[in-house]
Amino acid sequence: MSYDDSELIEVDSFPDEGFAESITEYATSIASDIRRGIEENGRTYPAFGRNEYGLPIDEQEQDRNDLQHCKFGLILGDRLHLAPIAEEPANILDLGTGSGIWAIDMADKHPTANVIGVDVAAVQPRWVPPNCSFEIDDVESDWLFRPDTFDFIHGREFLLAIRDWDRLISQSFHHLKPGGYLELSSSFPEPGSDDDTIPANSAWVQFTETFFEIGEKIGASGHAPKRWKAKLEAHGFEDVQEFIFKIPSSPWPRDRRLKHIGALEVANLDKGAEALLIRGMTGVLGRPKEEATVCVMIDYNAPN
């Protein structure tokens, strides 16, 4: 049995409604330039990986990553995942772990499990639970783990990061134990409103169009989450489930839960829009930085 949780924005799909105990050590052979990253437009981007990654790895981005974690917690009803994994999983793998907050929370929740977080940058905290560790690696490269190792593989918010989803899903399949689960989730920035009042030429629509344009240009389509279910089934996964949740982009919903999600999404967009678009618009689309800066200056607090 297998599992897929993709978080796509569709307005009709959901009703309106301590400190660690051990230190993570990284291999001393990691080059200093990989640790430092690449400075660009006032932000720091990863220097490691087979493909250029669009999001920064600096402290500001790690704060946004932690904020996203809170948002997904609200979306999933205070759960870390939806896959019905065993009560005592042995091995858990977090792909693109970022700040490592999900892996740390999973290690705390499952103290008997070995939780590994993988990312292209060493930005995770040093003080972590004793059953949690982090490795520097590119999930788009060949995995060095033994096949049939993991009970649960988790991947979240690979925004414009994965070029070959078939390869990632195939590697996940071969590295899961029989009966293991793969859960993928992502926000999908598709403009929509309950009353169809978003103008076709609005800044929000232009923002999302630019996002998808960058993705197509670099070969990491922003539309990939819509194809996950079919790809999982094509690579041998069974009983694939897809769940679609509403993610408001403002704090205007009447429902208290959605209002909180919308407020977190406003903060996410405020912190992440520039990080996501500046590099893509200047380096990929060849537009001036001034145009990219104007593009990200959107009033996210306006009703939608």
Side-chain angles (χ1 to χ4, degrees), residues 166-182:
D166 286 292
R167 184 181 185 187
L168 185 141
I169 291 170
S170 176
Q171 291 205 89
S172 297
F173 182 86
H174 291 293
H175 285 83
L176 281 169
K177 298 177 182 177
Y181 289 85
L182 167 65

Side-chain angles (χ1 to χ4, degrees), residues 81 83-90 92 106 109-110 113 151-152 179-181:
H81 55 84
I85 65 174
E87 286 294 326
E88 295 185 355
I92 298 172
M106 282 294 286
K109 183 178 179 180
H110 300 283
D151 302 278
F152 184 34
Y181 289 85

Side-chain angles (χ1 to χ4, degrees), residues 154-215:
H154 172 268
R156 174 185 289 175
E157 291 291 70
F158 280 114
L159 296 175
L160 307 185
I162 304 300
R163 271 68 169 179
D164 191 346
W165 278 103
D166 286 292
R167 184 181 185 187
L168 185 141
I169 291 170
S170 176
Q171 291 205 89
S172 297
F173 182 86
H174 291 293
H175 285 83
L176 281 169
K177 298 177 182 177
Y181 289 85
L182 167 65
E183 180 166 317
L184 302 172
S185 58
S186 179
S187 303
F188 186 79
E190 186 170 65
S193 64
D194 292 340
D195 55 5
D196 297 320
T197 57
I198 296 182
N201 62 346
S202 72
W204 176 235
V205 172
Q206 293 175 25
F207 173 89
T208 57
E209 288 177 346
T210 302
F211 168 83
F212 289 118
E213 183 180 358
I214 293 170

